[in-house]
Amino acid sequence: MSVPSNKVLFVTSNRIGDCVISSGILREIARQVPGAEITVACGRPPAPFFRSAPGVERVIVLDKKKAAGHWLELWRQVVGTRWALVVDIRGSALAWLLRADRRVVYNRRWETGLPKVEMVSRLMGAERALEPELFIDARARAEAAAVIDPQLASAPGPIIALAPIAHQPGKSWPADRWGELVERLKAEPRFEGWRFMPVGGPGDRPPATPALTAAGARGIDCVGKGDILCSAAAIDRAALFVGNDSGLMHVAAAAGKPTLGLFGPTEWWLYGPRGPRTAIAASNPTRGQFAPIEALTVERVFEAVLALHDAWIGAPDPTTP
């Protein structure tokens, strides 16, 4: 009699946000396959996110190739294993070409209007919602500290993290408005002594520059300083987060930070930040209706930031002059 396999293949996204949204699947895999040894296949940007995740013994980076060559390369790396379970949230044909005791494969019929976290939870047959989770290791915290601590030393204070980036057209609030927002927040008594920390990858310098310029001596530059896990550790140092609909927004929500997500013509009711300490500011807040993100004014975002602050950091004392 053959020994049951405990090998699990988890094929996930090439986008950071989708990987965070579906991160609860890892705990569910461990529940369904005791002692699971998990191989994760994902895109290069989110790959560091899984390096310290529980049960993960290997991360395979899927770099897109012509004629779907990345799928062939992945098949070559995993075809020799008998898998107890293959979970593929990208809905590829790969799962059906492998020896597997069980397969969980996404297809469009799972899109029923539920928030994405709830959709992937149902896909897995979970009894409850598989809430997103971060797996920040000591290395990432040390890398973030090496960036933040020297800049924070001269003027310690609470940090508001800003993510003025998104890598899909229509999702990025105009860069100059981030500068205007920082100017408004600097003048707001609630944010007296706060530091302003834009966070992003190496290519995010242009959209982050207006916010950094406006912050001046109160800025903390955390743009292009490390991988996604380093950015997650940096966001975990913040007291508040404001960002475009992006992977970093989902990171902040998963970290439990009071999180404000900015939305343009995308489905905020499906992709909004997950958790009780989250809020959105949408160019059109009516579900099912859309407007360009340019319709989202600085005043509306400023008021949303104040509301988030008052709900989770503390409202100003009305008796104080």
Side-chain angles (χ1 to χ4, degrees), residues 25-223:
I25 286 178
L26 292 173
R27 297 287 186 189
E28 183 62 16
I29 287 173
R31 188 188 71 80
Q32 294 186 17
V33 182
E37 297 176 359
I38 305 170
T39 295
V40 174
C42 64
R44 187 168 295 277
F49 179 74
F50 296 101
R51 72 175 182 233
S52 58
V56 173
E57 64 170 13
R58 184 185 182 194
V59 178
I60 300 174
V61 174
L62 274 179
D63 287 323
K64 192 169 184 179
K65 298 181 185 236
K66 292 181 180 179
H70 49 291
W71 291 113
L72 178 59
E73 183 175 312
L74 177 59
W75 176 81
R76 287 171 175 161
Q77 293 189 61
V78 300
V79 69
T81 300
R82 184 171 68 84
W83 302 96
L85 172 64
V86 175
V87 179
D88 182 355
I89 65 169
R90 294 178 64 167
S92 72
L94 178 77
W96 308 105
L97 302 175
L98 302 175
R99 292 181 299 160
D101 298 337
R102 189 160 64 93
R103 301 170 179 86
V104 175
V105 183
Y106 164 86
N107 61 53
R108 290 191 178 275
R109 68 183 172 83
W110 288 100
E111 301 288 350
T112 59
L114 288 173
K116 292 300 177 181
V117 169
E118 296 177 28
M119 185 274 286
V120 299
S121 302
R122 290 195 177 188
L123 177 69
M124 290 297 298
E127 297 178 355
R128 58 183 63 86
L130 303 176
E131 300 298 342
E133 185 177 359
L134 301 180
F135 315 107
I136 303 173
D137 58 15
R139 170 182 155 190
R141 294 193 187 279
E143 290 171 349
V147 173
I148 295 170
D149 290 349
Q151 300 183 72
L152 193 63
S154 60
I159 297 172
I160 178 169
L162 309 169
I165 50 90
H167 297 295
Q168 292 185 40
K171 285 188 172 186
S172 291
W173 201 43
D176 61 330
R177 297 191 192 179
W178 286 97
E180 294 177 43
L181 176 65
V182 170
E183 293 284 8
R184 292 285 303 273
L185 293 174
K186 282 174 65 178
E188 166 56 47
R190 291 172 174 86
F191 289 92
E192 179 68 30
W194 281 58
R195 304 294 302 271
F196 298 87
M197 182 177 71
V199 180
D204 299 325
R205 177 65 55 185
T209 294
L212 273 170
T213 301
R218 291 172 62 183
I220 295 176
D221 185 352
C222 200
V223 179

Side-chain angles (χ1 to χ4, degrees), residues 290-310:
F290 302 98
I293 199 166
E294 291 80 7
L296 188 57
T297 65
V298 173
E299 181 63 26
R300 281 183 59 197
V301 175
F302 176 71
E303 293 295 336
V305 174
L306 296 190
L308 190 69
H309 174 281
D310 292 353

